[in-house]
Amino acid sequence: MSIRTLDDLLAEGVSGRRVLVRADLNVPLDKQTGSITDDGRIRAVLPTLSALIGAGAKVTVCSHLGRPKGAPDPQFSLRSVAGRLGELLGAPVHFATDTVGDSARSTVDALGDGEVALLENLRFNAGETSKDEAERASFADQLAGFGEAYVDDAFGAVHRKHASVYDVPARLPHFAGRLVLREVEVLSTLTGEPERPYVVVLGGSKVSDKLAVIEALLPKVDRLLIGGGMCFTFLKAQGHEVGTSLLEEEMVETCRNLMERAPGKILLPVDVVAADAFSPDATHDTVRADGIPSHRLGLDIGPETVAGFAAALKGARTIFWNGPMGVFEMAPFAHGTRGVAEAIAGSGAFTVVGGGDSAAAVRALGLDESSFGHISTGGGASLEYLEGKTLPGIAALEN
Ligand code: 3PG
Ligand code: MG
């Protein structure tokens, strides 16, 4: 690997130079108020930005937010993110109301040394995500015009072959930011020779989303603990009825094969919290995992499962966790995720939390972030890294 890093750029000297930083400021927003519900991704990029500011660079930050369809859409504006970024940096962030238009050009031109601008959502432009190389290229040309150097600190987006991630680094001297470096350093220990026992905890709703990572991890791990919505497809594969729980019928056979391939390695819930509706007010009880009533759906793992998972985590030397154990956003179904998270935090192992929902759960449940070895900012990106896939954004930095 021949990736040049932020330190290499700083060593060249950046005072007065324009630096374009791709960040992943795709933070969750409250559906009603539009306010930021978890600013973890903003905080994660501060070390890179502070270093550039401190060295006197003129810093232009770009990011996507949500999945607008290639045109401006106010609900996905980065304006409030600019405000929060400014608070966290303790310095004003100049906000451009477009991405590569008049506002962006004048905002970038007006930057003084050590000042920061944030461009409006990259995905307000069809060129950002286009499959058409020429369309991406022309957007990338315009973006690249805002910097003399490019720093990628958007780990959460490195699995996307998008203009700002893949095409811009081909046009500018390019460097990996501190966050991208740290993520790659940590995740590469998991694909290499992690200390054993190595236990992986997977949750989340769909087996199909996690199948590739299960295939890649199964030969490497000592134990694979499965909770969340995806456990019901595994329980079905064991021959249990799962009521109205989430079920991917077409994955049942695949789950059966996985369990046959690694006998005893995969641990499933023995009890679940089953409710009569998907609602925080629904009537609910803890039931045996092989006795879910036909009119009920499982929304969390039960206390006996939490205890069993905790026992399997105790004594582990390496733990990777991705995906909540239940619908943690609803208080009655948050105990499983909390219990497993606490067992991971208290394990003494080197622990890695794979981004997205599990990282959000750690913060939403008020758990101490510093009790985990590393909390990734990448959901899809960290899974694809562990699958051993080539990530376009990393590949683009490698030459
Ligand atoms: C994420 O949240 O997974 C990253 O920001 C990438 O976003 P995307 O899945 O919309 O490409
Ligand atoms: Mg995603």
Side-chain angles (χ1 to χ4, degrees):
M1 249 194 352
S2 54
I3 292 185
R4 285 190 297 161
T5 69
L6 181 67
D7 285 330
D8 296 320
L9 175 60
L10 293 171
E12 284 178 9
V14 290
S15 181
R17 288 175 72 196
R18 292 178 302 134
V19 178
L20 179 66
V21 178
R22 175 52 158 109
D24 183 354
L25 305 177
N26 184 24
V27 290
L29 302 177
D30 183 281
K31 282 188 189 69
Q32 256 84 54
T33 63
S35 63
I36 298 164
T37 56
D38 177 13
D39 63 5
R41 279 181 165 170
I42 306 178
R43 286 184 285 121
V45 77
L46 296 176
T48 288
L49 297 184
S50 300
L52 287 167
I53 293 166
K58 299 175 173 178
V59 184
T60 297
V61 183
C62 61
S63 175
H64 71 287
L65 176 71
R67 291 180 176 173
K69 302 271 173 278
D73 181 346
Q75 62 171 315
F76 296 116
S77 174
L78 278 166
R79 184 182 285 279
S80 65
V81 171
R84 184 77 189 117
L85 178 59
E87 282 166 27
L88 291 166
L89 280 172
V93 169
H94 306 280
F95 183 64
T97 56
D98 56 28
T99 321
V100 290
D102 291 343
S103 173
R105 273 190 298 273
S106 59
T107 305
V108 172
D109 283 346
L111 281 177
D113 296 359
E115 288 190 352
V116 184
L118 176 64
L119 305 179
E120 183 54 286
N121 197 335
L122 289 159
R123 293 184 186 176
F124 286 0
N125 306 267
E128 168 66 358
T129 60
S130 180
K131 300 251 185 298
D132 182 284
E133 305 275 334
E135 194 180 11
R136 274 207 328 273
S138 83
F139 182 59
D141 285 340
Q142 296 179 73
L143 272 177
F146 294 145
E148 297 154 73
Y150 168 88
V151 173
D152 187 0
D153 220 18
F155 181 73
V158 291
H159 60 317
R160 301 294 183 213
K161 194 177 174 183
H162 292 168
S164 64
V165 175
Y166 184 73
D167 303 277
V168 173
R171 289 164 167 73
L172 290 174
H174 43 268
F175 305 85
R178 301 230 195 283
L179 174 64
V180 161
L181 275 182
R182 169 78 179 144
E183 294 268 15
V184 169
E185 182 184 285
V186 168
L187 294 171
S188 65
T189 67
L190 299 184
T191 53
E193 296 288 328
E195 268 194 71
R196 296 185 173 283
Y198 175 23
V199 180
V200 169
V201 186
L202 291 181
S205 48
K206 288 183 171 175
V207 181
S208 48
D209 286 348
K210 304 278 159 78
L211 183 61
V213 80
I214 295 174
E215 299 266 8
L217 291 175
L218 203 52
K220 289 187 171 280
V221 304
D222 296 289
R223 262 341 199 2
L224 176 59
L225 318 184
I226 293 185
M230 63 191 267
C231 76
F232 301 103
T233 303
F234 279 91
L235 290 170
K236 181 85 181 181
Q238 279 192 327
H240 305 318
E241 288 310 320
V242 296
T244 57
S245 306
L246 209 65
L247 177 66
E248 283 179 281
E249 199 69 67
E250 67 290 355
M251 297 298 293
V252 170
E253 190 54 36
T254 306
C255 290
R256 192 174 295 132
N257 290 337
L258 287 169
M259 289 188 287
E260 276 167 14
R261 216 188 300 165
K265 248 191 199 184
I266 298 181
L267 231 66
L268 295 177
V270 293
D271 59 350
V272 304
V273 181
D276 61 6
F278 187 85
S279 156
D281 312 313
T283 306
H284 58 273
D285 285 303
T286 300
V287 300
R288 307 305 303 166
D290 60 2
I292 302 176
S294 59
H295 61 284
R296 289 220 167 170
L297 73 166
L299 294 181
D300 196 9
I301 58 174
E304 199 178 316
T305 303
V306 172
F309 282 10
L313 290 162
K314 202 171 175 195
R317 298 298 304 149
T318 308
I319 297 172
F320 173 69
W321 170 36
N322 184 296
M325 297 290 100
V327 188
F328 72 90
E329 299 90 341
M330 300 181 187
F333 314 115
H335 303 288
T337 302
R338 175 183 294 281
V340 168
E342 284 171 353
I344 293 170
S347 66
F350 176 61
T351 58
V352 180
V353 182
D357 289 344
S358 16
V362 165
R363 293 186 280 260
L365 297 173
L367 301 166
D368 179 7
E369 288 179 67
S370 68
S371 57
F372 297 90
H374 179 69
I375 301 180
S376 178
T377 54
S382 59
L383 290 178
E384 289 195 22
Y385 189 97
L386 294 180
E387 285 163 25
K389 281 197 187 152
T390 299
L391 304 176
I394 303 291
L397 296 176
E398 271 175 346
N399 43 52

